[in-house]
Amino acid sequence: EKDGHDWFMRKEIFEQPRAVADSLLGRRTPEGHLQLDEMRLSDQELRDVDKVIIIACGTSFYAGMVAKYAIEHWCRVPVEVELASEFRYRDPILDYSTLVVAISQSGETADTLQAIRHARTQRSKVLAICNTNGSTIPRESDAVIYTHAGPEIGVASTKGFLTQLVACYLLALYLAQVKGTRYGDEIGQVVEQLEAMPSHIERVLADQEAIYALAREHVGTRSVLFLGRHAGYPVALEGALKLKELAYIHAEGFAAGELKHGPIALIEEGLPVFCVVPPAGRDQLRDKMVSGIQEVRARGARTICLVEDGDDAITPYADVVIRLPQVPVLLQPLVAAVPLQLFACELATALGHDVDQPRNLAKSVTVE
Ligand code: M6R
């Protein structure tokens, strides 16, 4: 049942190219328009949306952070992303023109469910992004985008995360199509870039042995930091969460620009720091990241840089280079998250932990 893998998690990591492809299937009409099967909200309702609030927990929350960049960029609608467990308690400002997007792989997370119940009492429309057909959250929502990851058994979310990202991009593009904020050919071009992602993910997976060797070098490491910017920032947070969950070691993700506001004090000789480098096309972002990498390295960090093919500006400051295919910055999380999943899975394995059932965790958290 694990297809020859030692863990469900590892099997699920390797299923990601297929899961991403499946989540894209059937989303285009023959005329090239995007269609979302269970988008039960009318075009008029979507045109009336003047604010989006995304609520989720854990890894799903990080998918929501990526969605914010995508929706604001393509649709020019303000987006807030909020932890479901905090949402209700701050008396959020909601009305009928607010679209609340709940992201939940399981569809049963209690914090997220309570948050959407609250949103509906305020007359907001709720759209669920979910991997589990017929689960509670989509049943209590006005609309659904199902991800097609297939059952995710490992407690740590992997293919769930990547397919949530796909659903978020589709939602952003669909909103842009309905609101007319982007032209059809631009939307079509992004959809084509998305359709190329499964083969890019395959490419990243093919480098598994190098990542595994790197992971095994880190048995005994007590702390790991992750830095990213823009859509790479949630990837940094996700990389840190995977390591906490599976390897039980201290790991933290930061927005690279925040370093100098405090976290740089943590840097000491030999501390591993993963750096998710934005694609070279986004030079301002990329250059700022390079200087962040120089700064931590000058203070003794061991820099492990995820860099796109052909970008050699980082190499002088990278102790380890992990290559990523060239993709647009907004889509980069789909490839950049994968080496971090492989790293956490292998390090936890080397430490002798139960990767599929980490201590103290449950697959779906049905209590608030
Ligand atoms: O089923 P959900 O997407 O609502 O779950 C949310 C979180 O509990 C979940 O992502 C959790 O953080 C995972 N264990 C992460 O690997």
Side-chain angles (χ1 to χ4, degrees):
E1 53 188 19
K2 295 182 199 148
D3 283 348
H5 291 286
D6 49 352
W7 304 111
F8 281 107
M9 181 193 181
R10 209 185 302 265
K11 169 178 175 258
E12 289 160 2
I13 291 173
F14 283 87
E15 282 171 353
Q16 292 182 115
R18 186 209 42 77
V20 165
D22 285 354
S23 299
L24 286 165
L25 271 183
R27 306 295 198 186
R28 275 212 275 186
T29 65
E31 301 77 46
H33 282 105
L34 269 182
Q35 57 177 11
L36 298 175
D37 311 344
E38 300 185 68
M39 174 57 73
R40 293 182 294 249
L41 298 173
S42 69
D43 286 2
Q44 192 53 52
E45 284 171 314
L46 290 177
R47 276 195 284 268
D48 288 343
V49 168
D50 61 10
K51 180 168 80 174
V52 176
I53 302 184
I54 301 176
I55 44 181
C57 306
T59 290
S60 302
F61 176 76
Y62 302 143
M65 289 177 71
V66 176
K68 172 183 167 77
Y69 289 96
I71 297 172
E72 289 189 341
H73 178 69
W74 287 321
C75 314
R76 309 308 297 155
V77 179
V79 181
E80 294 170 23
V81 193
E82 177 125 15
L83 291 169
S85 55
E86 290 293 321
F87 178 72
R88 235 162 23 117
Y89 303 99
R90 71 170 167 104
D91 196 9
I93 302 165
L94 296 161
D95 62 25
Y96 67 93
S97 57
T98 309
L99 177 66
V100 171
V101 178
I103 308 179
S104 175
Q105 185 282 131
S106 62
E108 300 296 348
T109 299
D111 288 313
T112 313
L113 179 60
Q114 294 305 336
I116 67 167
R117 285 184 177 158
H118 177 76
R120 294 192 77 189
T121 65
Q122 307 297 301
R123 297 189 304 140
S124 296
K125 294 277 180 279
V126 175
L127 179 142
I129 292 179
C130 185
N131 192 46
T132 314
N133 251 291
S135 55
T136 313
I137 290 171
R139 274 197 278 114
E140 296 201 15
S141 298
D142 299 290
V144 195
I145 301 178
Y146 279 112
T147 51
H148 297 282
E152 191 179 62
I153 311 286
V155 163
S157 186
T158 53
K159 61 178 182 172
F161 178 58
L162 259 58
T163 57
Q164 285 168 345
L165 291 174
V166 170
C168 289
Y169 297 132
L170 290 171
L171 171 64
L173 294 168
Y174 188 80
L175 262 181
Q177 175 178 286
V178 172
K179 283 179 167 286
T181 49
R182 295 281 156 170
Y183 291 114
D185 39 350
E186 190 184 343
I187 294 171
Q189 198 189 351
V190 182
V191 174
E192 276 165 29
Q193 287 164 341
L194 281 171
E195 286 168 350
M197 294 311 287
S199 65
H200 290 317
I201 298 166
E202 291 283 4
R203 237 278 331 268
V204 177
L205 289 170
D207 290 339
Q208 53 177 293
E209 288 307 331
I211 311 276
Y212 291 161
L214 182 70
R216 290 190 292 261
E217 279 171 39
H218 285 82
V219 170
T221 296
R222 300 204 30 216
S223 175
V224 181
L225 302 187
F226 294 78
L227 304 179
R229 296 188 81 100
H230 196 268
Y233 170 39
V235 174
L237 296 173
E238 170 62 3
L241 180 62
K242 289 281 98 83
L243 216 50
K244 288 176 215 174
E245 282 190 290
L246 300 169
Y248 318 148
I249 59 181
H250 170 253
E252 268 193 88
F254 298 107
E258 273 294 292
L259 265 181
K260 52 188 174 300
H261 300 289
I264 198 160
L266 291 169
I267 306 293
E268 56 188 22
E269 198 56 40
L271 180 78
V273 181
F274 280 82
C275 309
V276 183
V277 181
R282 298 298 294 262
D283 286 338
Q284 269 202 329
L285 272 181
R286 204 270 315 256
D287 295 350
K288 292 255 164 59
M289 187 75 200
V290 177
S291 55
I293 294 171
Q294 283 172 270
E295 277 163 26
V296 294
R297 193 153 186 270
R299 288 163 178 80
R302 180 167 192 244
T303 54
I304 303 166
C305 299
L306 282 68
V307 193
E308 73 173 2
D309 287 329
D311 182 355
D312 294 321
I314 271 86
T315 352
Y317 316 109
D319 293 295
V320 178
V321 173
I322 297 172
R323 286 291 172 187
L324 299 177
Q326 292 181 344
V327 298
V329 67
L330 277 172
L331 307 188
Q332 201 193 36
L334 283 173
V335 287
V338 176
L340 306 183
Q341 299 167 341
L342 289 170
F343 181 83
C345 180
E346 184 64 12
L347 179 50
T349 306
L351 288 168
H353 299 328
D354 185 334
V355 168
D356 286 334
Q357 297 280 333
R359 71 182 182 199
N360 309 341
L361 295 176
K363 182 62 184 164
S364 72
V365 184
T366 51
V367 288
E368 268 188 272

